[in-house]
Structure formats: structure tokens, C-alpha cells
Amino acid sequence: MKEAHVIVDRDFVIGDTDPRLFGAFVEHLGRCVYGGIYEPGHPTADERGFRGDVLALVRELAPTIIRYPGGNFVSGYNWEDGVGPVEKRPRRLDLAWMSTEPNTFGTNEFMDWCRAADVEPMLAVNLGTRGPDDARRLLEYCNFPGGTELSDLRRAHGWEKPHGVKFWCLGNEMDGPWQMEMKTATEYGRIATEAAKLMKWIDPTIELAACGSSSRNMPTFGSWEDTVLEHCFDHVEFISLHTYLNNYADDTPSFLASADLMDSFIEEVVAIADAVAARRRSTKRIMLSFDEWNVWYRTRRKNEGRTKLGWPVAPPILEEVYDMQDALAFGGACLSLLNHADRVKSACLAQLVNAIAPIMTETGGPAWRQSIFYPFRDMSRFGRGRVLQTRVSSPVYTTVYYDPRGTSELSFPMPDVPYLKLAVVDNLDEGTVTLFALNRNLTETLTVETQVRGFGALSLGEAHELHHGDLKATNTKDRPDEIKPASLEGVEITGDRVRVRLAPASWNVIRLSARGN
């Protein structure tokens, strides 16, 4: 049995988690919208067509902000197509996912759905096929109270009060060759700056995220962020990051270690943003919006969205089926986000329903939780508060990181990967301290002894684990609870010390009551 030792002190804080850290993403992609959150005629649907069973699972998952309508989709989207009388809305070819978009669900329906789900909306504007003035027009339609053509148009459409959207994304992945009207960094930086100016002249209370490079593995990464922020530093509050973990190489130890690369990615983007600030002698700090992150690889290789399907409406594409090892890698990504709460102030799990999602549905049938549902639910429910610094002494292993295509020719060693990955959150309002712990050892139990300093005597609130003997196990419509949390037994507390045994390949949550709070 291996042992790890942790020291935590209430006076050493990384940062406070922003409520927007626990976000998700809804795109017009496959069955995310149609057949996902929206399915008129479904037995649980309300009068607006919102699936009640999906809404119940979304409330349980507890995301706080939802990004919409894309994603790749937004770079060819005319927002005007999705407002007004439904029977008059045009059908369009969607080049992002080779589908037909009926536009029966659009901006106003999304706003109503967000209110039903009790989440904040995050809107992306099209800076691919359209430009700054179109972004300005959408903002005016959504946020201006009335008395102008566009605000009165919203009111005529049945939404008297402004939507008051406060968080906006300036396009999506604009350095990607797959993007409609891909831009150079200079082209995008100029357009993003002008869009930001126009939008903030109408509503100076909004916050804006500029597009970072599409991934850490892009040739443009680094130089893109630097150039873009040189243009729009004074006009935006965030720069975006996107990443998807994969196991193309079918190497589970490497897969679980790959979550640590999110830490490096975050720290690199922070360094670039701060370098731009330093050149300006500015005290302003650009925050990070990790507005796409997840595990995604099986369906990505199939390239399902771009096959010759005859331009269908809402085809079943990118419907990743997540297993136990995916949940563990996903949990590692959750810990990376928590441990950078000082700079990552917004993040969106991509996506919410059916398409690379924690929630799956059958059209006309049930909805169920995928394995990755549970680590996100834990993070969102119990990750609110001050993230504390941790001093971890853990056994380590050496593995290999493979590039996104999983080819051994493009790989590099990852030495000294700790079996224990950990985050600790102090919730002053609740008087609790929560330990989130991932044991990446596939065969051995890991005993963890944690000294939690500065809180006085501790007591156990609750503890649970996510573990399954078969790392390839999945939840399905017929077996929706094959993977689910179970009580974590044997947590020992003596004064300010907590001793716990973590099962091999397990995600664990230990909630402590802290008198010192």
C-alpha cells in the first residue's frame, strides 16, 4: 500500500472560485438542442418544448453559466434567423456540422431555458461570416430596454424586458482552419477590438472574452494570444482557452496524467497575458475563460459531423459514451480548474446534452447520467469558496504524453507524475472544508494523511467515492447506474489530521466540518 502526505493551511489561499467557473456549453450541434434540452412532444416537455427530465438533471449537475450558440456553429450563424415567429424562420445549411438548422430554437428560447434552469447566459457573437456591427445589433436586441428599432423588435417578439446578458464571447476558435472565415491574429485582434468598442458603448457593464488559440497544440499558440491581446487588451476582461483530453493511444496511466497539462496550459496563457500587461506598465490582469474543456476522442476520429448524411436536422453526432477511466481523467481536469481559481474565472464543460456531454437522452425516451456527470456535480456543488494551497508528497510514476492524434512519433515523457492529484476548498459560509482527491494508481490503494491547519478540531460531514472495477464500464439507458458514487468508508480524523484510504483508480470527495471557520 502506497502513502501520500498533504499539508493544508487556511492562511495560504490560491484564490476564490468565481461562480462562473462551473459552467457548461450548449451548441447547435447534433442533438444537443433538438432532442436534448428542447423536444416538443416529449412526455416530460413543457409548453415551451423544454424537456423536464433534462432540466431536472441539469439542476442536479448545477452548472452556473451556459455558453451559446457555439462553438463552430456561431461562425456562420445569423442571429436574426432565430428570433420572431417560429413559422417564419428560415431553414439554413450549417457548414460547421454539415446539418440543416431549422431555427425553431433561438436566442429568446435560450434565455427562457436559462431562466428555467436557473443559470446565467453567456452569448457568443459571430465574427466569422459577420462582424462588429452585427455583434452590436445583437447586444442592442438583447440588452437595451426599449425605444429603438432592435429593442422594440425584441419586445414585439414577446420579450418585454431586456435579457441583460453580461458575459459575451467575441467569436470562436478564429485561428482554426475548420472555422468559417478563419482569421490571422492581427485580423481577428482588430475585429474583436472594434466589436468590443461598439458593444461597450451600448452597455458598458458587459464583460468580454477574446478568442485564444484553439488549443495548446496549434502552431499559432502563444503568438496568437500575444498579438490578439496587443490589440484588444484595453477592451476585454478575458482570454479563452480550449482543450480536450484524449486516450487515442489506449494508455490509461498516460491518459490520467494528461490532465496535468491543463495546469501548464493555464500557466502559459497567464504568463503571456501578463507579459502584454507588463509591456504596457499596466496593473490590469486579463482573466481566463476556459470555455471549452472535456474528454473527447472516440467520436472525434470518426469525424461524424462531416460525413455525407444528406444535411439532416439534428443528426446523432459526437455522442461520446464515457467510461470509468474518462470520469477519472475528467476529474483531474476539474482539479486543474480549481487549483487555478485565482486566474480561471470562467469555464464551460463542453457540452451539456448528448454531444460530448454528461447527460444523454433517447428521443422520446429517458435521460441518464454519464460517468463524467459525477465529478462535475461534486465540483459545482462543493467547490464554492477559497481554494487552498496544498503541499503534496506523493509516490510518482513516469509515463508518456501523446499528441492529440495519439501517435508515438509525436510524444514526450512525463516523469514524476504524482499518483495523488488534489484540490482543497474552504467554504467560509458553510463552515466546511472539502478535499477532492484523485488516485491515479490503477492497482494499489493509496493511503493519504492530510494535516488541515488553522481550522481547529475537524469532524466528518460526508465522504464518497466514484470507483468501478472495470475501467471500461459505462452507464447506458438500460443500466443508468452502473457507475455511481458510493460511500467512502474508513475516514479517520484525529484533531486536525485526516487519514483516508483511496481505492485504486478512484475519484473521492471528503467533506469536513471545520470549527475554526
Side-chain angles (χ1 to χ4, degrees):
M1 183 183 296
K2 297 187 181 298
E3 289 199 7
H5 298 270
V6 180
I7 298 175
V8 183
D9 192 301
R10 70 173 301 168
D11 291 330
F12 294 88
V13 180
I14 294 172
D16 294 328
T17 56
D18 191 288
R20 290 170 172 164
L21 185 66
F22 313 102
F25 181 22
V26 166
E27 181 175 1
H28 286 252
L29 190 176
R31 296 194 307 125
C32 186
V33 174
Y34 305 111
I37 65 172
Y38 176 78
E39 188 181 334
H42 188 272
T44 69
D46 63 15
E47 68 281 359
R48 297 166 294 186
F50 302 160
R51 281 187 62 150
D53 56 350
V54 171
L55 271 172
L57 288 177
V58 170
R59 294 187 189 107
E60 179 186 342
L61 188 67
T64 50
I65 188 168
I66 304 290
R67 181 172 174 242
Y68 174 88
N72 295 346
F73 175 81
V74 78
S75 291
Y77 183 53
N78 299 324
W79 66 266
E80 299 91 340
D81 293 344
V83 299
V86 173
E87 64 276 9
K88 295 183 178 180
R89 297 181 190 177
R91 294 167 65 91
R92 303 282 191 196
L93 296 183
D94 168 31
L95 276 64
W97 302 109
M98 301 300 173
S99 307
T100 297
E101 172 54 51
N103 284 305
T104 50
F105 186 98
T107 302
N108 294 317
E109 289 81 11
F110 174 69
M111 295 300 168
D112 283 350
W113 184 87
C114 285
R115 294 183 185 100
D118 193 26
V119 297
E120 179 186 357
M122 175 195 297
L123 287 187
V125 298
N126 177 358
L127 294 184
T129 61
R130 304 189 75 177
D133 192 53
D134 302 300
R136 186 271 307 173
R137 288 171 55 82
L138 175 58
L139 175 71
E140 183 179 332
Y141 179 89
C142 287
N143 284 13
F144 202 74
T148 67
E149 177 191 8
L150 292 168
S151 59
D152 286 345
L153 183 63
R154 181 199 69 246
R155 296 168 66 194
H157 290 159
W159 283 263
E160 178 68 25
K161 295 182 179 179
H163 295 313
V165 181
K166 294 304 179 186
F167 199 113
W168 296 76
C169 302
L170 297 172
N172 175 76
E173 294 186 354
M174 296 309 303
D175 64 337
W178 56 87
Q179 207 69 213
M180 285 173 271
E181 298 208 21
M182 167 193 178
K183 305 285 192 292
T184 66
T186 298
E187 288 170 340
Y188 170 73
R190 290 293 305 125
I191 291 171
T193 298
E194 294 306 309
K197 282 167 49 181
L198 298 184
M199 293 171 75
K200 285 192 171 182
W201 284 346
I202 293 175
D203 186 348
T205 69
I206 63 173
E207 294 178 274
L208 299 174
C211 288
S213 180
S214 301
S215 80
R216 188 174 183 240
N217 299 289
M218 290 288 290
T220 48
F221 172 62
S223 61
W224 173 276
E225 282 78 2
D226 188 76
T227 300
V228 166
L229 286 177
E230 273 295 334
H231 285 284
C232 60
F233 182 90
D234 295 328
H235 302 279
V236 303
E237 289 70 39
F238 293 84
I239 186 82
S240 72
L241 298 80
H242 292 177
T243 202
Y244 293 96
L245 306 181
N246 73 76
N247 192 18
Y248 288 132
D250 195 22
D251 181 342
T252 301
S254 295
F255 181 36
L256 301 189
S258 69
D260 292 2
L261 295 176
M262 281 183 68
D263 299 283
S264 300
F265 189 15
I266 290 166
E267 290 156 16
E268 289 159 359
V269 174
V270 166
I272 295 166
D274 288 353
V276 177
R279 288 199 296 269
R280 294 167 175 259
R281 309 295 191 268
S282 174
T283 58
K284 177 180 178 178
R285 289 296 176 262
I286 297 292
M287 296 300 163
L288 275 56
S289 179
F290 218 128
D291 53 33
E292 285 190 32
W293 68 274
N294 201 345
V295 171
W296 177 23
Y297 58 103
R298 300 175 188 89
T299 60
R300 202 172 195 177
R301 268 204 168 154
K302 292 178 182 178
N303 205 20
E304 291 180 298
R306 300 172 186 274
T307 55
K308 296 179 180 179
L309 299 176
W311 300 93
V313 174
I317 58 175
L318 306 188
E319 298 197 358
E320 193 91 9
V321 176
Y322 291 109
D323 59 22
M324 183 62 213
Q325 66 177 333
D326 295 328
L328 298 175
F330 182 97
C334 292
L335 300 179
S336 295
L337 294 174
L338 288 172
N339 283 328
H340 292 87
D342 57 330
R343 295 300 290 268
V344 181
K345 294 298 183 181
S346 175
C348 297
L349 159 64
Q351 293 189 10
L352 187 62
V353 187
N354 289 326
I356 51 174
I359 299 170
M360 290 294 292
T361 73
E362 180 182 69
T363 300
W368 62 94
R369 306 167 189 82
Q370 293 228 65
S371 65
I372 64 171
F373 183 98
Y374 297 107
F376 186 94
R377 184 182 70 176
D378 288 337
M379 178 178 72
S380 185
R381 283 182 167 184
F382 306 134
R384 316 296 177 91
R386 308 186 313 154
V387 183
L388 304 181
Q389 295 180 20
T390 58
R391 181 73 177 267
V392 178
S393 175
S394 168
V396 299
Y397 67 105
T398 297
T399 186
V400 174
Y401 172 70
Y402 301 93
D403 87 308
R405 288 161 290 187
T407 55
S408 58
E409 306 84 42
L410 296 171
S411 62
F412 58 86
M414 294 182 68
D416 300 333
V417 176
Y419 283 117
L420 176 65
K421 185 161 187 172
L422 183 79
V424 179
V425 178
D426 172 24
N427 188 312
L428 295 171
D429 293 334
E430 295 181 354
T432 60
V433 177
T434 301
L435 280 62
F436 301 88
L438 175 66
N439 180 9
R440 296 189 275 204
N441 192 307
L442 303 185
T443 59
E444 295 184 66
T445 298
L446 181 65
T447 298
V448 180
E449 183 169 303
T450 304
Q451 184 178 13
V452 187
R453 296 174 175 173
F455 291 92
L458 303 168
S459 60
L460 182 64
E462 64 172 289
H464 63 262
E465 65 177 1
L466 193 66
H467 170 71
H468 197 286
D470 179 6
L471 290 178
K472 298 295 180 71
T474 63
N475 289 344
T476 65
K477 181 187 73 170
D478 297 325
R479 296 179 64 89
D481 296 320
E482 180 67 24
I483 298 171
K484 65 178 181 179
S487 178
L488 176 60
E489 305 296 338
V491 180
E492 302 170 8
I493 301 176
T494 305
D496 64 355
R497 295 180 182 270
V498 181
R499 188 175 177 87
V500 61
R501 289 174 291 279
L502 308 182
S506 64
W507 163 265
N508 306 269
V509 178
I510 300 102
R511 301 261 290 158
L512 306 169
S513 294
R515 295 177 187 172
N517 277 342

